[in-house]
Amino acid sequence: MLSGTTSKRGSQESSNSPYLNSEQKLRKSKSTEFLHQVHRKLSLKSLRRNGRNSTDESVHPSLRTASSSVVGFQPPVPKRRLLRSRAKRSADDVPPIPPRPAELDEMYLEIDMKLDDEAMAGIVDPGALYPDTTDASSPASDLYSSSQSGHSSSRYGRPTLRNPFSQPPVSRIRSLDLISPTDRRSFPIPDSWAVTPAQIPSLEAEEESMSDDGRSSGAGDLPRWKIRIYGPDNNDYILRISADDTVQTLTPYLDGKLPAGEEHEKHELYLRERGRERILSPNERPAKILRRCLQHAGYDESDGDAGTGKGAVGLPGVPFLLKFVYRSQFLGPADDDLSLNNFAYVNLIARSLVTIPVVLHQHADTIVSLRLSRNPLNDIPGDFMQSCTALSELYLSHTFLKKVPPSIRLGATLTLLDLSSNRLASLNDAGLDELPRLATLNLQNNRLERLLDVFPPSLLNLNVSNNKFGVFPLSITKLPNLSRLDISFNSIRELPQAIGRLTRLTKLVVVGNRISGLPDEFRSLVALDELDCRRNQITDLEPACQLPELAVLSADHNNLHTLPRSIGPMLHGLNVSHNHITELVVGSSSYSFALTCLDISNAKISVLSDITVSRLPQLRTLKLDRNSLRGLPDALGDLKWLETLSCADNSLSGIPETLGKLQKLESLDLHNNSITELPQSLWNCASLSRANFTSNLLAVLHDPPSDVEDSPTIPVAKLPSPTFAPRRPSVVPRLDLPPLAHSLEVLNLAENSLTDEMLPPLMIFKELRVLNLSLNDIQELPSNFFHDLTLLEEIYLSGNRLTHFPGEDLPRLERLSTLFLNGNHLQHLPHELGQVNSLSLFDVGNNLLKYNINNIDYDWNWNFNKNLVYLNLSGNKQLQIKSDMTNYGRPSVSSADRQSFSGFSALSRLRVLGLMDVTITNTTGSDIPDEGDDRRIRTSSSLVNGLSYGIADTLGKNRQPLMMDLVHEFRGFKKDTVFAMFGRSHPANQAAATTSNPLAKYLKDNFVRVFITQLSALDRQRGEGVPDALRRSFLKLNQEHHDSLFGSLRRTSGAGGLPIVDASQVYNGASGVVVYIDVVDKRMYIANAGNALAIVSRRGTAIPVSRKHEPWDRTEAARIRAAQGWISPSGLVGDELDISRSFGFYHLLPMVNARPDIFPYELTSLDDIVIIANRGLWDFVTYQTAVDLVQHTEPTAAAQKLRDVAISYGAEGSTMVMVVSLANLFHDKSDGAPTDRRRRRAVGVVDRILDRLKDEVPPPVGHVAIVFTDIKGSTHLWEATPSGMITAIHLHNNLLRRYLRICGGYEVRTEGDSFMCSFPTVLAAVWWCLTVQVELLKVSWPQDILDCPDGREIYDVDGRLMYRGLSIRIGIHCGSPLCLTDPVTNRMDYFGILVTRAARIASVAAGGQIMFSADVLNELNARIFQSDPAVEYPEPQPKEAIDGIRHLGPSVFRVGEMKLKGLEVPETLSFVLPSSLLGRSTYIEPIVVNPPPLPSPSLRSPPPSDRFELTQVRELARLCVRLEIACADPALYSLPGKPDADADILLPANTDLTDSELSALLYSLTIRIENTELVLRHKLNTHALTKNAIVSALRDLDERTLEELRTMLQIR
């Protein structure tokens, strides 16, 4: 099976790896080829002279092949046996793995080949099979199963029948030394001879079969693995081996199957993966290597053969992961093929070198830089290193080194040594300290846990990142000259104090560790210039910020609560984003800092003071995004050097007027705030070129100021005036324009409340390139709006109310390339639009277009814009595309030419065409272009299996479709549906691809086929389900695309004829997300790989149902490291990719694999929509913002709205959004169908978030539910952390107000941190209360709050979270209060005993409880638990509230009757908790009344005294008197005097009492108190022992006596 000659074509393709070029292929040495040529010539002569079976005696016995004497008779091979043969392939070709029928696979694996002598009698000559009688009786073995590529043949080409199950003969040991010294010990063999002495296999090789933690892979329970091995004759062989079989046990079988002429050379088993190869040591276990690689690539053991689900272990053909190659160790590039023209700088990366080529020995003294990375080098000859007298740089990365070659110590001239990405576990005996000139040492991505005790003192740069250090190596601190140190992505928890010795350190990188703080000795790093400590747990930066030379400090994603008050004089760049900072206070009033760049985004800052800003006068860049700021200080105007100001995603309500003083400001980003008005001084910003005010509450744009003082003015012509109907006074004509009119180039005003009356000020921006006015209330544009805006390149007017688009000045827009008019009320488009020749992206979808497309003289037709790349007409349900054969309009145009206007074939550059829901006649259907790798055509309906959906996308700057969408409906009873998208993985700031993404097209075209196959192959008895099918589909698609890419997609170059692959496809990839909806069972399965994500909106709350795979995630980082990958400090896998899972990127396998995360999801009637999008949306829009934007919006309009908002927020690359409505799964189509409601902002609403939600309910009147809330322990929290409490209150208020809109509540008023709300129904109030209690646990509270006792995390006995952050008590009562409108606030207010009772009910509730009255309980029992009859109220209970309450799983706990403060009638109370918070019912809060301050750690509390205190005895006497008087005559307490005033008479006159006297006195008082107790008990016995009876018996006691009595009872 293993024997056979290789065809000429096969030999040419024998070493063609997709990762190696033609100069890197493996070749046989010249001596070996020469011997084979001589052997073949002699054999051919013998054939012609004596026939095939004769033996040529002239051939030396050592050159004779075994096949010449093995076969005596060979019967013809039956044709059916050919089914087991495979076509011959190159050793480096990627064999396809087609799916095989189960019965064929079973026949292939289980066939019984009994080829003993008795069975083969009369067919095969036993002497031919067993030429050596000593081996004829060797037992058969089932180790080998044949899978030969091509027919097995002798060296003469005739098929040779061999027993694949027989034990091959053990070759005799023959000496290869024809001439050798008499005494070997007297002859030192040079290292360059590469002589491998006989060695006993050591146990060190066992490490290769272990996992990274040193434990065995645990495959001993698996009986057989199928391993594919490629031989030197281009054949591939399948071995069935056990998990414990080693290379040593496999070698005899592999040697016995070598082709003729190869058995005299020593062969080794090579492992080739990721463009590298190495020789496997004798004790390594291939099965365990394969198993570990499959696990790293995302496969499960149940995935079976190529994921077919058959349960077989292992994948025999996964060449895109690894390949086992058995070949001669002498195979390698000939010296003539090295193509070395410069022997000073030698680059031999990935040349499959096992030793140093001879040619380098000849020029060793001239080599300065030697790159030997990605070669299977085990060692470097010592004599070669000694000869390299000028060698300065040596690169040995990716060479599978387990220890440093000993000869490295001989490189006395080395200054740079790169040993990265190897398997170094120790540096013992490396001799690195013997390199006197070594300045740079790179050891990243190894398995080091400790370092050498001694390093060369000359070392300047050290990189030990991506290793296994748990403790900072102290040997590093002994390097006095160390300048740069990178120890990122380890597990270091603290820096040692000895780090202060590195006084010359200039750059320190500790990214991705677990460091919690910096030692005080850190202040000794006086030369440190740059510190990168991102992604740690650091709480204080004080030791670092005061360093005198520190210039750049990056500390984002830590645990900082505040910034240091003192900053070094040289610090100019500070990044502390993604921390828990609640207050920005730096320095003192007498000192200013040199900071030029400050990034404090994604923090918890709520206030920015003028004093803080005034201390940063040198700022050029200030980023404050995603905080809780409500205003900006006026001191911002004093930052005269400020160039970039970003304060997006805050709660700003206005902008200070001083902003106009910033004459150097170039970029201003204030999107997603609550700004209602822009300051007029903004016109004075002379350098402002980019301004983004998207997603605010702007309704007014001020005209330019009448006189601009202290600012440069430029004389221009008269301002144009708008030409529509008279409105407010237009811009006053002036000869001078403000500076902003000459600097602004990009203006984003999307999602505001602008009307067409506010447009005239925009007409003077003559330098404007991008204008975004999407999602406003514009109904009409002035006809001359574009007259002076001739430099416009992009115009966005989506989502307005336009009924007409002016076309008079469109021909003047010669640079216009992008025009978005979707989501308006347009019925036709102007003819002049066809004269904009530069137009390439045009979206006019979701309008009311209804016109004759052939009326080209008056209306627009797409065929006039030949440069169109993107055209979207989807959603125009009244638009008909049909040919018009009549002679309409222009008689000069022939009928044939007119028919072409209804087609799209003339648009040769078209890449995306949207025709969803557009009527297309049959006569023009053939004129619609076909889809391809670079073209996407959508002509389907927006309704699939009863589910409506919408798609919106846009192309990036490269104008190529990098994203592909997939919508598929399964026919039959179940009507399952698949929504998916595949494509773009790279961020937009990386180099844009010049071509499309064929991988995305391949995934779209093949996913359904593969998914159906995997569904049908599921083994239900083993518990396999849809998640298994989805996982296997992702992996199978990734493998199939690899096979197709390196198989059929190869092309041949004209010069050498070697097959190559387009590099852009090899290094390309695609993220993917698939949503599989089971319509019948109401279940949804979401699978995603990469950064394409999906979320679900459940009654307006965003629920993530996918996970972004990024290298920063610690679980993903651990998986990447286990797969021998590494992460750069910038967070890129292999310094290339910012995601950790994806399709494609085969050069990064298995670090980046296609295994998806799968989320099963139970659909309920509360689920509204599913949003599916790629990173173009999620990199700029949060999950909750995306849900808020599309509430109650039709899916097509929702998808377009999300895309438009992403563009206005800054998305530049290819963006795709898909929105699926789930309403029809639980409701009729007419019930609750979403509508695009356009409404004006309600009066008094100044919050952007609330403005996106549905309108507040009208003030409830009549029978209403009143709710009071109060924050538990708010006083203590305000005292402990005022800054943190400001942010926490802001988050608390936003949450309560959001769910008031969702649940239908009305905010009456707020008092401090308390809310008073009213609801039209009781169940709406209960729904709101339950929802708020659950959602409060999910809020991102400031860390200061979580560190306080009243905000700490508390878990129940089952480990479920009960309390976290602010905890509120809630009280509910219902009835008919007095309703009056407040004349000041103009809001409804409520009065009466009902309101008082509701407030008292809230006061008795514990933190986290929802207490309510009996009336509320009756409603719950009737509607939710259905245990009581229904209660009739004027307002019916809403169904959504009933469903929402039941979904939360409420449980009611009865408290009983309780007398409320200030109310005579007691109230029967109960409280309710959701199922996730049931632990609160048994949790007892610790009662702390005015706790004393904690003592100083240095002081100890005094020990308890055993002496009696006279003051305590007197207090006890007074209590005794009160009790006696109360028992005797309670009326005495009504007397004017105090009966207990003379209690001192009970004591002797002399106060100097001894202990015995005091003891006697105490005994007397105790007897008297016990007597009063008996009297009280007698009174209680006359009544039932109830709480009311006890209260009645003690009612006559005063409050002070009762308090002291309670205290005594507690002590007892």
Side-chain angles (χ1 to χ4, degrees), residues 423-483:
R423 304 185 178 191
L424 301 177
S426 174
L427 297 179
N428 296 333
D429 301 327
L432 298 181
D433 56 330
E434 302 179 18
L435 302 176
R437 300 183 183 179
L438 187 62
T440 301
L441 179 59
N442 191 353
L443 294 171
Q444 81 170 42
N445 193 23
N446 279 283
R447 303 176 180 179
L448 297 173
E449 297 181 2
R450 58 184 302 272
L451 291 178
L452 293 174
D453 294 335
V454 179
F455 276 101
S458 59
L459 198 61
L460 299 177
N461 306 313
L462 178 61
N463 189 342
V464 290
S465 62
N466 291 272
N467 277 280
K468 295 185 176 182
F469 296 110
V471 178
F472 190 93
L474 292 178
S475 58
I476 297 179
T477 63
K478 302 177 182 178
L479 298 173
N481 299 316
L482 191 64
S483 176

Side-chain angles (χ1 to χ4, degrees), residues 274 293 295-299 320-321 985-986 1035 1038 1068-1071 1089-1091 1109-1111 1116 1119-1121 1123-1127 1131-1155:
R274 301 196 299 274
C293 185
Q295 290 176 344
H296 291 162
Y299 291 89
F320 70 106
L321 296 178
S985 296
H986 292 287
L1035 297 173
N1038 200 39
N1068 195 12
S1071 296
N1091 45 30
H1109 299 112
E1110 53 184 356
E1116 289 294 291
R1119 184 189 60 79
I1120 293 171
R1121 293 285 294 112
Q1124 303 177 16
W1126 63 284
I1127 306 171
L1132 306 180
V1133 180
D1135 204 19
E1136 295 185 36
L1137 191 63
D1138 66 342
I1139 56 176
S1140 57
R1141 301 193 195 182
S1142 173
F1143 293 98
F1145 297 115
Y1146 299 114
H1147 65 294
L1148 295 177
L1149 269 169
M1151 293 88 69
V1152 177
N1153 61 48
R1155 180 187 178 97

Side-chain angles (χ1 to χ4, degrees), residues 121-138:
I123 301 178
V124 178
D125 184 9
L129 285 177
Y130 307 107
D132 191 350
T133 56
T134 58
D135 296 333
S137 60
S138 61

Side-chain angles (χ1 to χ4, degrees), residues 1100-1346:
T1101 302
I1103 301 178
V1105 288
S1106 54
R1107 186 167 73 98
K1108 183 178 181 180
H1109 299 112
E1110 53 184 356
W1112 292 119
D1113 187 89
R1114 292 198 179 272
T1115 57
E1116 289 294 291
R1119 184 189 60 79
I1120 293 171
R1121 293 285 294 112
Q1124 303 177 16
W1126 63 284
I1127 306 171
S1128 66
S1130 56
L1132 306 180
V1133 180
D1135 204 19
E1136 295 185 36
L1137 191 63
D1138 66 342
I1139 56 176
S1140 57
R1141 301 193 195 182
S1142 173
F1143 293 98
F1145 297 115
Y1146 299 114
H1147 65 294
L1148 295 177
L1149 269 169
M1151 293 88 69
V1152 177
N1153 61 48
R1155 180 187 178 97
D1157 271 328
I1158 301 172
F1159 295 81
Y1161 187 86
E1162 292 286 345
L1163 294 172
T1164 67
S1165 58
L1166 300 177
D1167 297 317
D1168 305 323
I1169 57 174
V1170 181
I1171 303 176
I1172 310 168
N1174 71 332
R1175 70 181 307 161
L1177 176 69
W1178 304 126
D1179 286 356
F1180 299 91
V1181 181
T1182 63
Y1183 297 153
Q1184 190 59 58
T1185 301
V1187 170
D1188 293 343
L1189 284 169
V1190 298
Q1191 286 296 305
H1192 307 282
T1193 306
E1194 185 266 334
T1196 301
Q1200 294 176 355
K1201 186 176 183 179
L1202 289 175
R1203 179 207 56 187
D1204 297 337
V1205 169
I1207 292 175
S1208 62
Y1209 281 12
E1212 295 180 351
S1214 180
T1215 302
M1216 177 176 287
V1217 182
M1218 185 184 301
V1219 177
V1220 183
S1221 175
L1222 303 175
N1224 292 339
L1225 288 178
F1226 302 94
H1227 311 285
D1228 297 334
K1229 296 183 180 180
S1230 59
D1231 182 19
T1235 58
D1236 188 7
R1237 301 181 303 113
R1238 298 178 181 270
R1239 55 181 176 83
R1240 290 188 176 272
R1241 177 167 50 92
V1243 178
V1245 177
V1246 290
D1247 188 271
R1248 174 78 268 179
I1249 298 177
L1250 296 181
D1251 186 66
R1252 293 192 182 111
L1253 305 178
K1254 64 181 181 180
D1255 293 329
E1256 187 180 33
V1257 297
V1261 294
H1263 190 278
V1264 299
I1266 302 296
V1267 178
F1268 281 90
T1269 72
D1270 184 34
I1271 299 177
K1272 181 194 73 172
S1274 59
T1275 303
H1276 298 158
L1277 290 172
W1278 279 109
E1279 294 175 354
T1281 169
S1283 59
M1285 198 59 180
I1286 293 175
T1287 303
I1289 288 294
H1290 175 68
L1291 297 173
H1292 164 270
N1293 294 350
N1294 286 347
L1295 179 71
L1296 268 59
R1297 286 170 176 150
R1298 161 184 289 278
Y1299 286 100
L1300 279 175
R1301 296 294 183 92
I1302 295 175
C1303 300
Y1306 180 80
E1307 180 182 347
V1308 180
R1309 62 176 181 267
T1310 59
E1311 297 178 0
D1313 50 34
S1314 301
F1315 269 68
M1316 177 184 175
C1317 309
S1318 62
F1319 293 82
T1321 61
V1322 172
L1323 293 190
V1326 175
W1327 182 29
W1328 179 77
C1329 296
L1330 290 172
T1331 304
V1332 164
Q1333 293 287 16
V1334 173
E1335 295 299 324
L1336 281 172
L1337 299 180
K1338 305 175 184 178
V1339 175
S1340 180
W1341 301 110
Q1343 190 64 35
D1344 295 345
I1345 298 294
L1346 299 179

